[in-house]
Amino acid sequence: MSVNVLYKTSAKATGGRDGHAATLDGALDVKLTTPKELGGGGGAGNNPEQLFAAGYAACFIGAMKFVASQGGPKVPADTSVTSTVGIGPRSEGGFGLDIDLAVSLPGVPRAEAEALVAKAHQVCPYSNATRGNVDVRLKVV
């Protein structure tokens, strides 16, 4: 499948989970730390799962707005998505992710909200990237 790329960004990481990451344009610059649950010291800094969770949540709202622009219900200004990203060993070997998206669409009737979320899950690039590889559970809250 080809993609008509409209935007690109680049980031460089050094030191792995206990290092540093920054976009090449300088817009994002983070200290990385490994969580205690993964054998690290924890402390000040972020980890890749936090960055992924934040990106997925923001992108999913964008996907809902896109669906709304195509005739779906309006996305309220106070809409929120809470993305919970888990990481751990896979039964097949290696490591994998586990994701929950809790979507709040205040004032949107539940059936309409659920339909909007389902359609957004089909167009969101993060959802498309994870589909078939990562369990992603959607919930309207």
Side-chain angles (χ1 to χ4, degrees), residues 31-99:
K31 178 183 185 309
L32 300 171
T33 59
T34 302
K36 288 181 181 181
E37 297 85 349
L38 295 179
N46 296 100
N47 61 63
E49 292 71 37
Q50 290 170 322
L51 299 172
F52 185 83
Y56 200 162
C59 192
F60 201 83
I61 292 173
M64 289 190 297
K65 289 180 177 181
F66 174 79
V67 169
S69 76
Q70 306 295 305
K74 186 176 186 290
V75 175
D78 56 350
T79 292
S80 67
V81 173
T82 301
S83 173
T84 303
V85 175
I87 183 172
R90 296 174 353 127
S91 58
E92 301 86 357
F95 290 84
L97 299 176
D98 181 81
I99 302 169

Side-chain angles (χ1 to χ4, degrees), residues 6 31 65 71 87 107 110 114 119 122 139:
L6 301 176
K31 178 183 185 309
K65 289 180 177 181
I87 183 172
R110 185 165 203 78
E114 288 174 348
K119 288 178 185 172
Q122 296 305 308
K139 182 177 181 181

Side-chain angles (χ1 to χ4, degrees), residues 4 10 18 24 38 44 68 71 80 88 98 108 120 122 128-129 137:
N4 178 20
S10 297
D18 288 306
L24 298 187
L38 295 179
S80 67
D98 181 81
V108 178
Q122 296 305 308
N128 287 333
R137 289 170 299 281

